[in-house]
Amino acid sequence: MRAMVLEAPRTPLREADLPEPEPRPGQLLIRVLACGVCRTDLHVLDGELPDPKLPLVLGHQIVGEVVEDGRRVGVPWLGWTDGECRYCRNGRENLCDRALFTGYQLDGGYAELMVVDERYCHELQAGYGDVEAAPLLCAGLIGYRALRLAGNAERLGLYGFGSSAHLVAQVARFEGRRIFAFTRPGDEETQAFARELGAEWAGAADEAPPEELDGAILFAPAGELVPAALRVLAKGGTVVCAGIHMSDIPSFPYELLWEERCVRSVANLTRQDGAEFLALAPKVPVRTYVESLPLAAANDALERLRSGRVRGSLVLVP
Ligand SMILES: [Zn+2]
Ligand SMILES: [Zn+2]
């Protein structure tokens, strides 16, 4: 089977012909129909996440067809948990001590075929095409978890308006929240995109919005955004850091945190998050803005993501 393989961090993916993976008991062999490109893939590529499986097939937003019976399934980042650690036992499998993640410790979807543990796959409803459904599986899921952890913030700031934010914005609007979008300075195209999706204000990340915000979700992996977001937050507001990796957060005066402001991260997802979000998405309905590229263009896709030249989500099609 054809796959794009990471052999060592900080080197381009190599197009390779690999032997077909063989499912073990409890696993399914899946034909990949579409695989979304995520910022996390870039962090693995850049060596910013420790100890990836090597060589590795990246990709954890997979729409696939079960080879055995033709069922269509979605495969997310959470690929396996032990089910017995203290986190798993109290409903926090996203924090499992021994969790394995797709496209990181397990081979992912930048390939024609892959194997997955059946228990961590999601049923996909018919309403979405393969390419359209792919970004729901991480950008959508992690965004949804981040939105929940932002509490009931009515005025919500979204920092970095890419794959995840463009989906979260739609859910948040559906819930009656008001959206304020922050982009790289001068990125008027993305600001216009955010307004199109219901943001009532869009500007640069270092600008002050027209009023205080009740919560903010940071999708851009830039630590300096933490104090920037705290600075525009009303009392009691939460800054949620949604990425798996972020540059160092600069020190800031305690008064930015005072009055019960809060900074927290979001780690991974639970199967429950997946089930909830995938049931909610068609009700909103969440529309995914996607651009599809052939699998062999994976390196180009990752570089475009790095430079921010993407409207919505990029999806690879084997
Ligand atoms: Zn992801
Ligand atoms: Zn566990």
Side-chain angles (χ1 to χ4, degrees), residues 21-22 53 88 242:
E22 287 187 20
K53 168 191 180 293
C88 283

Side-chain angles (χ1 to χ4, degrees), residues 62-78:
I62 300 136
V63 176
E65 180 187 62
V66 179
V67 169
E68 198 176 65
D69 58 17
R71 251 182 319 139
R72 194 172 75 140
V73 292
V75 184
W77 171 245
L78 184 72

